[in-house]
Amino acid sequence: MTAGWTDDRVGALKKLWLEGQSASQIAKQLGGGVTRNAVIGKVHRLGLSGRAAPSQPVRAPAPAFRTSRPRTAASTVAETVAEAAPAPVVRRLEVVQTPKPAEPVAAPSPAHVPDLPGTATVLTLGAHMCKWPIGDPSSREFSFCGRRASEGVYCIEHARVAYQPQVRRGGKDGASELARSLRRYI
């Protein structure tokens, strides 16, 4: 059981929060059974959203990973010459113009859409592909339909199987069903 939020505790909470302490650190410093969640709740109730500093120092970005090149005699000589010469080496790029095709080139299709059911795997299943399972999930031959889904998650054929209209039983009309239900209460 906590001792409650006294004016001293609230003042310490505000001070520590604005200093950039985390909720866990503040809870430890306040002690007396105050939890991290209690600190977070009180901060929200007090409306303390801004901080003077982040709770953790910002780290410098990690240096980019560079692979080493194998050194050859020519590259070693070039590096030695570059170190001796104070002027920087200027590299020029050549612009190569390619002739434009007379006809527009058709864009490649973004993904192969299987036509046959059972050709999609978990890894190849896309957002608009039928997700009807085919086969035993424990076998290696397990797959999904994979055809284009019309509405929802199934193709037209599998949607007919999955979503069947509700069939009324017995062909009763409304009046006889009402009379039957009223007999229960009489």
Side-chain angles (χ1 to χ4, degrees):
M1 176 116 177
T2 63
W5 287 102
T6 63
D7 291 337
D8 294 335
R9 280 188 168 190
V10 172
L13 168 70
K14 288 179 182 180
K15 178 182 166 278
L16 294 171
W17 183 259
L18 293 176
E19 286 176 1
Q21 299 282 328
S22 70
S24 299
Q25 293 167 337
I26 295 171
K28 285 180 186 175
Q29 289 184 10
L30 292 177
V34 176
T35 64
R36 173 186 164 273
N37 286 340
V39 170
I40 292 171
K42 191 64 174 177
V43 164
H44 286 289
R45 286 190 299 277
L46 292 172
L48 302 175
S49 60
R51 291 178 174 237
S55 62
Q56 294 182 354
V58 177
R59 295 182 184 176
F65 179 76
R66 298 183 80 189
T67 58
S68 61
R69 298 183 287 189
R71 293 186 176 248
T72 62
S75 68
T76 307
V77 170
E79 288 174 5
T80 307
V81 170
E83 289 174 3
V89 178
V90 178
R91 295 183 183 176
R92 295 183 185 211
L93 297 175
E94 293 182 27
V95 177
V96 179
Q97 293 181 350
T98 57
K100 293 185 179 182
E103 299 177 14
V105 179
S109 62
H112 172 67
V113 179
D115 295 323
L116 302 173
T119 56
T121 64
V122 172
L123 299 176
T124 61
L125 202 58
H128 299 288
M129 295 173 76
C130 178
K131 293 165 182 66
W132 187 268
I134 297 177
D136 182 16
S138 62
S139 72
R140 295 184 70 86
E141 290 81 32
F142 178 72
S143 61
F144 294 92
C145 173
R147 287 187 279 193
R148 176 108 179 125
S150 57
E151 280 188 30
V153 295
Y154 301 124
C155 64
I156 295 172
E157 179 184 338
H158 289 124
R160 287 184 190 138
V161 176
Y163 307 118
Q164 293 186 359
Q166 186 175 9
V167 179
R168 297 206 77 155
R169 296 182 188 160
K172 299 175 186 173
D173 62 343
S176 62
E177 193 168 328
L178 177 64
R180 193 179 114 236
S181 64
L182 289 174
R183 273 186 248 136
R184 282 189 224 155
Y185 297 107
I186 297 177

